[in-house]
Amino acid sequence: RKEVEQDPGPFNVPEGATVAFNCTYSNSASQSFFWYRQDCRKEPKLLMSVYSSGNEDGRFTAQLNRASQYISLLIRDSKLSDSATYLCVVNPNSGYSTLTFGKGTMLLVSP
Amino acid sequence: GAVVSQHPSRVICKSGTSVKIECRSLDFQATTMFWYRQFPKQSLMLMATSNEGSKATYEQGVEKDKFLINHASLTLSTLTVTSAHPEDSSFYICSAIAMNTEAFFGQGTRLTVV
């Protein structure tokens, strides 16, 4: 089982749609979880951290299920500018010593 | 916010030559920086952890003699790809942690070896 697995993409959705990304991780001792966004040929940028209680930032909602080792990202009311690759990122340690990246799921929002 | 600057953003070199990539933390000190490599349609793969004032820690399968890392100061780490070959062509990205919070990434370097 890969360390961090994400839905294969791409996801093609119309503007205004709701889209959900799923991610599973293999290391049950993992401590921190994140969603990063990467635009084509650019560096990844933090979208949001994922907390055990779940967290929401505008149109974006992240959920964590430690028992199932599962993370999700929900995007509501998709915008054209949301088109990017979304990376599920896991830190297996208590500090920030390493980050393990999923392969990423590409989202394409069309008019 | 914290900024990590990486240079150059793009480089084309001949096979057999060496290429140096710089990664700077502009407004914070980074005792640890990370170097990643990303092939097309692949995830970022950690190559090595660069530690200020000491030797880098390389991930399994990454040749330390080929990918030389120097972390000479708290704001600068360099990655030198020695005797580059076409298979080394990739997107190289550095990152640093600011105040033990968020990981910030450099802009990345697209290396093409011809």
Side-chain angles (χ1 to χ4, degrees):
Chain A
R1 182 179 178 184
K2 294 180 182 176
E3 290 189 64
V4 179
E5 278 197 87
Q6 293 187 239
D7 287 334
F11 282 25
N12 290 282
V13 302
E15 266 188 296
T18 295
V19 61
F21 300 134
N22 300 314
C23 171
T24 57
Y25 59 95
S26 61
N27 185 347
S28 60
S30 296
Q31 297 290 323
S32 308
F33 310 89
F34 312 90
W35 284 102
Y36 275 74
R37 170 188 170 138
Q38 186 175 23
D39 291 289
C40 187
R41 294 174 177 263
K42 300 284 187 181
E43 75 277 19
K45 293 186 178 178
L46 180 66
L47 179 65
M48 58 197 306
S49 301
V50 186
Y51 304 118
S52 297
S53 56
N55 48 303
E56 185 174 314
D57 182 4
R59 298 181 293 110
F60 299 84
T61 301
Q63 296 280 348
L64 167 64
N65 184 322
R66 285 188 182 272
S68 302
Q69 295 177 210
Y70 170 91
I71 307 159
S72 66
L73 175 68
L74 184 75
I75 304 176
R76 292 180 298 277
D77 189 23
S78 299
K79 310 292 185 188
L80 294 177
S81 57
D82 293 334
S83 297
T85 296
Y86 290 83
L87 303 169
C88 176
V89 183
V90 174
N91 184 346
N93 304 304
S94 57
Y96 263 81
S97 55
T98 61
L99 293 175
T100 302
F101 287 80
K103 193 174 179 179
T105 302
M106 183 181 290
L107 172 64
L108 300 171
V109 182
S110 54
Chain B
V3 177
V4 174
S5 176
Q6 186 173 340
H7 177 80
S9 59
R10 185 184 298 270
V11 60
I12 300 173
C13 71
K14 290 184 178 180
S15 187
T17 61
S18 295
V19 174
K20 179 184 283 189
I21 303 170
E22 291 188 350
C23 181
R24 294 180 186 272
S25 56
L26 296 186
D27 52 0
F28 65 100
Q29 294 182 333
T31 53
T32 304
M33 290 185 178
F34 306 93
W35 287 97
Y36 295 86
R37 180 168 53 185
Q38 185 177 33
F39 292 106
K41 299 186 178 181
Q42 299 292 319
S43 60
L44 277 80
M45 297 301 296
L46 180 65
M47 298 176 66
T49 302
S50 172
N51 305 298
E52 187 269 335
S54 64
K55 292 182 179 180
T57 304
Y58 290 82
E59 295 299 300
Q60 191 173 12
V62 178
E63 300 175 61
K64 62 180 181 181
D65 295 328
K66 181 171 181 62
F67 299 98
L68 301 179
I69 292 173
N70 186 316
H71 197 145
S73 75
L74 287 171
T75 59
L76 173 65
S77 175
T78 61
L79 168 68
T80 301
V81 183
T82 62
S83 186
H85 288 96
E87 57 266 30
D88 298 324
S89 298
S90 186
F91 190 50
Y92 293 85
I93 310 179
C94 67
S95 79
I97 309 299
M99 295 172 286
N100 207 32
T101 55
E102 177 182 338
F104 291 89
F105 289 84
Q107 299 91 332
T109 298
R110 191 161 299 281
L111 171 65
T112 303
V113 184
V114 297

